[in-house]
Amino acid sequence: MAEPVTEAGARPGGVLGGCAVARAICDVPDPEVPVVTIEDLGILRHLEVDESSRHVLVTITPTYSGCPAMEAIAQRVVHEAERAGYTCDVQTRLSPAWTTDWISARGRDRLRDFGIAPPPGAASTCSTVALDLHLRQTTCPQCGSTDTEELSRFGSTACKALLRCRSCREPFEMFKAL
Amino acid sequence: MGGPTVATNLLAAQYIQGLADDALVYAQRLGEWVSRAPQIEEDMALANIGLDLLGQARALLTRVGELDGSGRSEDDLAYLRDEREFRNVHLLEQEVAGFGFEMARLLWFASYQWELYAGLRTSVDEVVAGVAAKALKEVTYHRDHATQWVLRLGDGTAESHERMQQALVDVEPYVTELFDDDPASVAAAESGVGVLPSSLEDAVRARVSAVVEEATVALPESARWRSRGGRDGVHSRPMGYLLAEMQHIARSNPGAQW
């Protein structure tokens, strides 16, 4: 399998054949944030259905190296394939590294509707981190105010930070730019 | 042409094992903070940082098992090696000794890992390069977290300033070991698998110095002594207790799956 999807923002590298089983796998929800699918999040990188051998090959990538949801996602993918009458191999690929830029527009909308602020623009790994104590401005997914403050950069899962809105006083989570 | 020789692979495995053991052992230490940090947000932050490191360790240990020809899995390597077979530096095995110490240790280690992974993105070993590119993004958050705390504590109250200053003194003896060029890392740098630890030192020290200065504390002139031996499997007293905690369930239930 040669599959060159590496660009930021790229969709999973093409859904080949087997529409129903492919759809079911694309729609596997993220175990921690079930309003978005693994396709929405860009975790699903490649999906290939071989109708002659009734076999599905799936490639997924973790959001964070230690993301404990990967095993659950792989199990669910295999389950969906088997339910549709296919055998399935799930490969995990680290490179190119996942980025929040791969979250689809639909995924961002669904996160916001669920009360999780979508990630701000692309993460800049290589710029020098400013040394001052800085506040990052994010829009509250509840009331839309930008008068928000960061409570903790590390939230309930590796991929989220914890914030609070100073207008409506509600705490909320934000997908961290990565 | 021909592929890499067995000896080359063994040296590469040793080098990668040092990276993996650093991440694994520090993940284990950071886990001890859960329920004991100054605030619940910090419990989560340190657990998250540990989880990132554990993820890095898993991928790297799996690679070690492939390269050294032993066929050992990540679990075999994490749970069934004895103390002398671990190649982590002493800094990371030291007992949890207060929040200031932890932030000083994290600032040094994350700054080191940042430069390390930045260099390893071009490793000729595809797994190492892949882990490095991914981990670099994670470590950027770790380094930023430690930076924010060192600034807050150093430039905080008289009490927090004094304790942050003492923490930097307490960590100092363990810092130099990060930059020692052991035979495996020299070989890895030559083959293009790794980077020479000593080549990272200036950038790491510059970064830590800038944070420390901004935080109105100071790095000690020089440590009164320095640790060594971790990359050769010679460890300090806390290491055995750490391994006992980390390994006892797996060793008490041989072959168990979870």
mmCIF file of all heavy atoms in Angstrom, chain B residues 30-65:
data_model
loop_
_atom_site.group_PDB
_atom_site.id
_atom_site.type_symbol
_atom_site.label_atom_id
_atom_site.label_comp_id
_atom_site.label_asym_id
_atom_site.label_seq_id
_atom_site.Cartn_x
_atom_site.Cartn_y
_atom_site.Cartn_z
ATOM 1 N N LEU B 30 6.347 11.041 37.644
ATOM 2 C CA LEU B 30 5.307 12.076 37.555
ATOM 3 C C LEU B 30 3.944 11.536 37.992
ATOM 4 O O LEU B 30 3.127 12.268 38.550
ATOM 5 C CB LEU B 30 5.230 12.627 36.127
ATOM 6 C CG LEU B 30 6.381 13.559 35.738
ATOM 7 C CD1 LEU B 30 6.321 13.893 34.251
ATOM 8 C CD2 LEU B 30 6.350 14.847 36.565
ATOM 9 N N GLY B 31 3.731 10.244 37.757
ATOM 10 C CA GLY B 31 2.471 9.639 38.183
ATOM 11 C C GLY B 31 2.262 9.740 39.688
ATOM 12 O O GLY B 31 1.127 9.767 40.170
ATOM 13 N N GLU B 32 3.346 9.818 40.446
ATOM 14 C CA GLU B 32 3.228 9.914 41.904
ATOM 15 C C GLU B 32 2.558 11.216 42.335
ATOM 16 O O GLU B 32 2.103 11.337 43.466
ATOM 17 C CB GLU B 32 4.615 9.830 42.553
ATOM 18 C CG GLU B 32 5.248 8.465 42.417
ATOM 19 C CD GLU B 32 6.644 8.427 43.045
ATOM 20 O OE1 GLU B 32 6.898 9.177 43.996
ATOM 21 O OE2 GLU B 32 7.470 7.641 42.547
ATOM 22 N N TRP B 33 2.539 12.204 41.464
ATOM 23 C CA TRP B 33 1.940 13.488 41.835
ATOM 24 C C TRP B 33 0.413 13.460 41.852
ATOM 25 O O TRP B 33 -0.224 14.330 42.439
ATOM 26 C CB TRP B 33 2.408 14.596 40.874
ATOM 27 C CG TRP B 33 3.766 15.101 41.244
ATOM 28 C CD1 TRP B 33 4.943 14.768 40.655
ATOM 29 C CD2 TRP B 33 4.089 16.012 42.301
ATOM 30 N NE1 TRP B 33 5.978 15.414 41.277
ATOM 31 C CE2 TRP B 33 5.468 16.185 42.294
ATOM 32 C CE3 TRP B 33 3.320 16.692 43.251
ATOM 33 C CZ2 TRP B 33 6.125 17.019 43.203
ATOM 34 C CZ3 TRP B 33 3.964 17.522 44.156
ATOM 35 C CH2 TRP B 33 5.349 17.673 44.133
ATOM 36 N N VAL B 34 -0.160 12.465 41.195
ATOM 37 C CA VAL B 34 -1.620 12.435 41.103
ATOM 38 C C VAL B 34 -2.213 12.338 42.509
ATOM 39 O O VAL B 34 -1.849 11.443 43.272
ATOM 40 C CB VAL B 34 -2.083 11.246 40.236
ATOM 41 C CG1 VAL B 34 -3.604 11.167 40.228
ATOM 42 C CG2 VAL B 34 -1.551 11.399 38.817
ATOM 43 N N SER B 35 -3.056 13.281 42.816
ATOM 44 C CA SER B 35 -3.716 13.453 44.130
ATOM 45 C C SER B 35 -2.820 14.154 45.146
ATOM 46 O O SER B 35 -3.237 14.411 46.259
ATOM 47 C CB SER B 35 -4.224 12.120 44.722
ATOM 48 O OG SER B 35 -3.158 11.425 45.353
ATOM 49 N N ARG B 36 -1.593 14.499 44.782
ATOM 50 C CA ARG B 36 -0.688 15.128 45.752
ATOM 51 C C ARG B 36 -0.168 16.485 45.316
ATOM 52 O O ARG B 36 0.604 17.120 46.045
ATOM 53 C CB ARG B 36 0.513 14.224 46.018
ATOM 54 C CG ARG B 36 0.101 12.962 46.733
ATOM 55 C CD ARG B 36 1.251 12.009 46.881
ATOM 56 N NE ARG B 36 0.743 10.718 47.333
ATOM 57 C CZ ARG B 36 1.489 9.653 47.526
ATOM 58 N NH1 ARG B 36 2.776 9.720 47.305
ATOM 59 N NH2 ARG B 36 0.955 8.532 47.926
ATOM 60 N N ALA B 37 -0.539 16.922 44.129
ATOM 61 C CA ALA B 37 -0.045 18.209 43.643
ATOM 62 C C ALA B 37 -0.746 19.336 44.407
ATOM 63 O O ALA B 37 -1.739 19.103 45.100
ATOM 64 C CB ALA B 37 -0.301 18.318 42.147
ATOM 65 N N PRO B 38 -0.233 20.570 44.301
ATOM 66 C CA PRO B 38 -0.817 21.689 45.053
ATOM 67 C C PRO B 38 -2.274 21.965 44.691
ATOM 68 O O PRO B 38 -3.010 22.507 45.498
ATOM 69 C CB PRO B 38 0.061 22.882 44.656
ATOM 70 C CG PRO B 38 1.307 22.304 44.098
ATOM 71 C CD PRO B 38 0.966 20.962 43.557
ATOM 72 N N GLN B 39 -2.680 21.627 43.491
ATOM 73 C CA GLN B 39 -4.085 21.843 43.116
ATOM 74 C C GLN B 39 -4.484 20.773 42.119
ATOM 75 O O GLN B 39 -3.628 20.159 41.473
ATOM 76 C CB GLN B 39 -4.270 23.244 42.518
ATOM 77 C CG GLN B 39 -3.355 23.519 41.343
ATOM 78 C CD GLN B 39 -3.215 25.018 41.056
ATOM 79 O OE1 GLN B 39 -3.221 25.833 41.967
ATOM 80 N NE2 GLN B 39 -3.113 25.363 39.798
ATOM 81 N N ILE B 40 -5.783 20.580 41.950
ATOM 82 C CA ILE B 40 -6.244 19.463 41.127
ATOM 83 C C ILE B 40 -5.839 19.646 39.658
ATOM 84 O O ILE B 40 -5.546 18.680 38.956
ATOM 85 C CB ILE B 40 -7.770 19.260 41.276
ATOM 86 C CG1 ILE B 40 -8.180 17.901 40.705
ATOM 87 C CG2 ILE B 40 -8.566 20.399 40.655
ATOM 88 C CD1 ILE B 40 -9.590 17.496 41.056
ATOM 89 N N GLU B 41 -5.783 20.900 39.208
ATOM 90 C CA GLU B 41 -5.356 21.144 37.831
ATOM 91 C C GLU B 41 -3.922 20.647 37.621
ATOM 92 O O GLU B 41 -3.553 20.204 36.544
ATOM 93 C CB GLU B 41 -5.432 22.634 37.487
ATOM 94 C CG GLU B 41 -6.836 23.192 37.375
ATOM 95 C CD GLU B 41 -7.439 23.560 38.712
ATOM 96 O OE1 GLU B 41 -6.771 23.363 39.753
ATOM 97 O OE2 GLU B 41 -8.579 24.051 38.725
ATOM 98 N N GLU B 42 -3.127 20.759 38.681
ATOM 99 C CA GLU B 42 -1.736 20.330 38.582
ATOM 100 C C GLU B 42 -1.622 18.809 38.631
ATOM 101 O O GLU B 42 -0.735 18.234 37.991
ATOM 102 C CB GLU B 42 -0.926 20.989 39.709
ATOM 103 C CG GLU B 42 0.543 21.093 39.433
ATOM 104 C CD GLU B 42 0.885 21.765 38.098
ATOM 105 O OE1 GLU B 42 0.175 22.710 37.682
ATOM 106 O OE2 GLU B 42 1.862 21.335 37.478
ATOM 107 N N ASP B 43 -2.506 18.155 39.385
ATOM 108 C CA ASP B 43 -2.581 16.686 39.318
ATOM 109 C C ASP B 43 -2.730 16.257 37.863
ATOM 110 O O ASP B 43 -2.060 15.346 37.374
ATOM 111 C CB ASP B 43 -3.842 16.169 40.035
ATOM 112 C CG ASP B 43 -3.710 16.124 41.544
ATOM 113 O OD1 ASP B 43 -2.615 16.407 42.060
ATOM 114 O OD2 ASP B 43 -4.717 15.796 42.192
ATOM 115 N N MET B 44 -3.661 16.926 37.179
ATOM 116 C CA MET B 44 -3.961 16.553 35.799
ATOM 117 C C MET B 44 -2.812 16.915 34.859
ATOM 118 O O MET B 44 -2.486 16.155 33.944
ATOM 119 C CB MET B 44 -5.257 17.244 35.347
ATOM 120 C CG MET B 44 -6.481 16.668 36.040
ATOM 121 S SD MET B 44 -7.859 17.820 36.040
ATOM 122 C CE MET B 44 -8.355 17.776 34.345
ATOM 123 N N ALA B 45 -2.221 18.056 35.096
ATOM 124 C CA ALA B 45 -1.131 18.490 34.219
ATOM 125 C C ALA B 45 0.035 17.501 34.291
ATOM 126 O O ALA B 45 0.557 17.058 33.262
ATOM 127 C CB ALA B 45 -0.667 19.888 34.595
ATOM 128 N N LEU B 46 0.440 17.147 35.522
ATOM 129 C CA LEU B 46 1.606 16.270 35.654
ATOM 130 C C LEU B 46 1.280 14.858 35.165
ATOM 131 O O LEU B 46 2.134 14.182 34.588
ATOM 132 C CB LEU B 46 2.112 16.276 37.098
ATOM 133 C CG LEU B 46 2.651 17.640 37.547
ATOM 134 C CD1 LEU B 46 3.052 17.624 39.020
ATOM 135 C CD2 LEU B 46 3.834 18.091 36.693
ATOM 136 N N ALA B 47 0.041 14.431 35.367
ATOM 137 C CA ALA B 47 -0.363 13.122 34.839
ATOM 138 C C ALA B 47 -0.352 13.145 33.310
ATOM 139 O O ALA B 47 0.074 12.185 32.665
ATOM 140 C CB ALA B 47 -1.756 12.756 35.346
ATOM 141 N N ASN B 48 -0.809 14.242 32.732
ATOM 142 C CA ASN B 48 -0.820 14.368 31.268
ATOM 143 C C ASN B 48 0.591 14.364 30.696
ATOM 144 O O ASN B 48 0.858 13.749 29.659
ATOM 145 C CB ASN B 48 -1.504 15.668 30.848
ATOM 146 C CG ASN B 48 -2.985 15.486 30.574
ATOM 147 O OD1 ASN B 48 -3.359 14.639 29.794
ATOM 148 N ND2 ASN B 48 -3.815 16.274 31.221
ATOM 149 N N ILE B 49 1.486 15.062 31.358
ATOM 150 C CA ILE B 49 2.874 15.102 30.896
ATOM 151 C C ILE B 49 3.473 13.698 30.990
ATOM 152 O O ILE B 49 4.134 13.219 30.060
ATOM 153 C CB ILE B 49 3.686 16.132 31.707
ATOM 154 C CG1 ILE B 49 3.185 17.543 31.368
ATOM 155 C CG2 ILE B 49 5.187 16.007 31.427
ATOM 156 C CD1 ILE B 49 3.730 18.642 32.277
ATOM 157 N N GLY B 50 3.180 13.022 32.107
ATOM 158 C CA GLY B 50 3.646 11.643 32.263
ATOM 159 C C GLY B 50 3.095 10.737 31.170
ATOM 160 O O GLY B 50 3.797 9.880 30.638
ATOM 161 N N LEU B 51 1.845 10.947 30.823
ATOM 162 C CA LEU B 51 1.212 10.126 29.787
ATOM 163 C C LEU B 51 1.874 10.341 28.429
ATOM 164 O O LEU B 51 2.102 9.382 27.679
ATOM 165 C CB LEU B 51 -0.275 10.482 29.719
ATOM 166 C CG LEU B 51 -1.175 9.600 28.854
ATOM 167 C CD1 LEU B 51 -1.152 8.161 29.337
ATOM 168 C CD2 LEU B 51 -2.605 10.136 28.886
ATOM 169 N N ASP B 52 2.183 11.575 28.114
ATOM 170 C CA ASP B 52 2.914 11.842 26.864
ATOM 171 C C ASP B 52 4.241 11.084 26.860
ATOM 172 O O ASP B 52 4.611 10.453 25.861
ATOM 173 C CB ASP B 52 3.228 13.341 26.718
ATOM 174 C CG ASP B 52 1.993 14.181 26.376
ATOM 175 O OD1 ASP B 52 0.994 13.615 25.920
ATOM 176 O OD2 ASP B 52 2.054 15.415 26.574
ATOM 177 N N LEU B 53 4.948 11.156 27.988
ATOM 178 C CA LEU B 53 6.255 10.496 28.074
ATOM 179 C C LEU B 53 6.106 8.979 27.959
ATOM 180 O O LEU B 53 6.912 8.303 27.316
ATOM 181 C CB LEU B 53 6.956 10.861 29.391
ATOM 182 C CG LEU B 53 7.365 12.327 29.538
ATOM 183 C CD1 LEU B 53 7.889 12.595 30.949
ATOM 184 C CD2 LEU B 53 8.442 12.700 28.515
ATOM 185 N N LEU B 54 5.055 8.458 28.577
ATOM 186 C CA LEU B 54 4.809 7.013 28.502
ATOM 187 C C LEU B 54 4.552 6.593 27.057
ATOM 188 O O LEU B 54 5.036 5.556 26.602
ATOM 189 C CB LEU B 54 3.617 6.643 29.389
ATOM 190 C CG LEU B 54 3.313 5.159 29.535
ATOM 191 C CD1 LEU B 54 4.495 4.439 30.173
ATOM 192 C CD2 LEU B 54 2.056 4.952 30.377
ATOM 193 N N GLY B 55 3.813 7.412 26.326
ATOM 194 C CA GLY B 55 3.559 7.116 24.916
ATOM 195 C C GLY B 55 4.839 7.108 24.106
ATOM 196 O O GLY B 55 5.055 6.237 23.256
ATOM 197 N N GLN B 56 5.707 8.071 24.380
ATOM 198 C CA GLN B 56 7.004 8.112 23.693
ATOM 199 C C GLN B 56 7.809 6.855 24.028
ATOM 200 O O GLN B 56 8.409 6.223 23.155
ATOM 201 C CB GLN B 56 7.786 9.366 24.107
ATOM 202 C CG GLN B 56 7.117 10.679 23.698
ATOM 203 C CD GLN B 56 7.634 11.875 24.496
ATOM 204 O OE1 GLN B 56 8.728 11.833 25.062
ATOM 205 N NE2 GLN B 56 6.848 12.933 24.554
ATOM 206 N N ALA B 57 7.802 6.496 25.322
ATOM 207 C CA ALA B 57 8.580 5.331 25.767
ATOM 208 C C ALA B 57 8.082 4.056 25.099
ATOM 209 O O ALA B 57 8.875 3.203 24.683
ATOM 210 C CB ALA B 57 8.503 5.192 27.285
ATOM 211 N N ARG B 58 6.779 3.923 24.975
ATOM 212 C CA ARG B 58 6.223 2.694 24.389
ATOM 213 C C ARG B 58 6.706 2.499 22.951
ATOM 214 O O ARG B 58 7.140 1.413 22.573
ATOM 215 C CB ARG B 58 4.692 2.744 24.428
ATOM 216 C CG ARG B 58 4.131 2.633 25.818
ATOM 217 C CD ARG B 58 2.611 2.599 25.787
ATOM 218 N NE ARG B 58 2.127 1.474 24.993
ATOM 219 C CZ ARG B 58 0.836 1.224 24.753
ATOM 220 N NH1 ARG B 58 -0.084 2.024 25.244
ATOM 221 N NH2 ARG B 58 0.484 0.187 24.033
ATOM 222 N N ALA B 59 6.609 3.568 22.154
ATOM 223 C CA ALA B 59 7.031 3.453 20.756
ATOM 224 C C ALA B 59 8.526 3.168 20.659
ATOM 225 O O ALA B 59 8.969 2.352 19.841
ATOM 226 C CB ALA B 59 6.673 4.728 20.002
ATOM 227 N N LEU B 60 9.307 3.825 21.520
ATOM 228 C CA LEU B 60 10.765 3.647 21.462
ATOM 229 C C LEU B 60 11.175 2.267 21.966
ATOM 230 O O LEU B 60 12.071 1.633 21.399
ATOM 231 C CB LEU B 60 11.464 4.749 22.269
ATOM 232 C CG LEU B 60 11.330 6.169 21.696
ATOM 233 C CD1 LEU B 60 11.843 7.206 22.687
ATOM 234 C CD2 LEU B 60 12.072 6.302 20.362
ATOM 235 N N LEU B 61 10.535 1.780 23.022
ATOM 236 C CA LEU B 61 10.886 0.450 23.540
ATOM 237 C C LEU B 61 10.540 -0.634 22.517
ATOM 238 O O LEU B 61 11.280 -1.615 22.367
ATOM 239 C CB LEU B 61 10.164 0.175 24.866
ATOM 240 C CG LEU B 61 10.727 0.877 26.098
ATOM 241 C CD1 LEU B 61 9.881 0.558 27.329
ATOM 242 C CD2 LEU B 61 12.181 0.463 26.362
ATOM 243 N N THR B 62 9.428 -0.467 21.835
ATOM 244 C CA THR B 62 9.066 -1.424 20.794
ATOM 245 C C THR B 62 10.172 -1.479 19.729
ATOM 246 O O THR B 62 10.558 -2.551 19.269
ATOM 247 C CB THR B 62 7.722 -1.030 20.143
ATOM 248 O OG1 THR B 62 6.725 -1.017 21.171
ATOM 249 C CG2 THR B 62 7.319 -2.001 19.051
ATOM 250 N N ARG B 63 10.696 -0.309 19.397
ATOM 251 C CA ARG B 63 11.782 -0.237 18.415
ATOM 252 C C ARG B 63 13.046 -0.917 18.950
ATOM 253 O O ARG B 63 13.766 -1.589 18.197
ATOM 254 C CB ARG B 63 12.078 1.237 18.071
ATOM 255 C CG ARG B 63 13.092 1.442 16.965
ATOM 256 C CD ARG B 63 12.602 0.889 15.656
ATOM 257 N NE ARG B 63 13.551 1.081 14.569
ATOM 258 C CZ ARG B 63 13.738 0.186 13.608
ATOM 259 N NH1 ARG B 63 13.056 -0.942 13.600
ATOM 260 N NH2 ARG B 63 14.598 0.425 12.646
ATOM 261 N N VAL B 64 13.332 -0.743 20.231
ATOM 262 C CA VAL B 64 14.499 -1.397 20.844
ATOM 263 C C VAL B 64 14.393 -2.912 20.682
ATOM 264 O O VAL B 64 15.354 -3.582 20.276
ATOM 265 C CB VAL B 64 14.618 -1.030 22.342
ATOM 266 C CG1 VAL B 64 15.662 -1.893 23.035
ATOM 267 C CG2 VAL B 64 14.964 0.450 22.491
ATOM 268 N N GLY B 65 13.217 -3.454 20.959
ATOM 269 C CA GLY B 65 13.010 -4.905 20.857
ATOM 270 C C GLY B 65 13.204 -5.422 19.435
ATOM 271 O O GLY B 65 13.609 -6.553 19.222
#
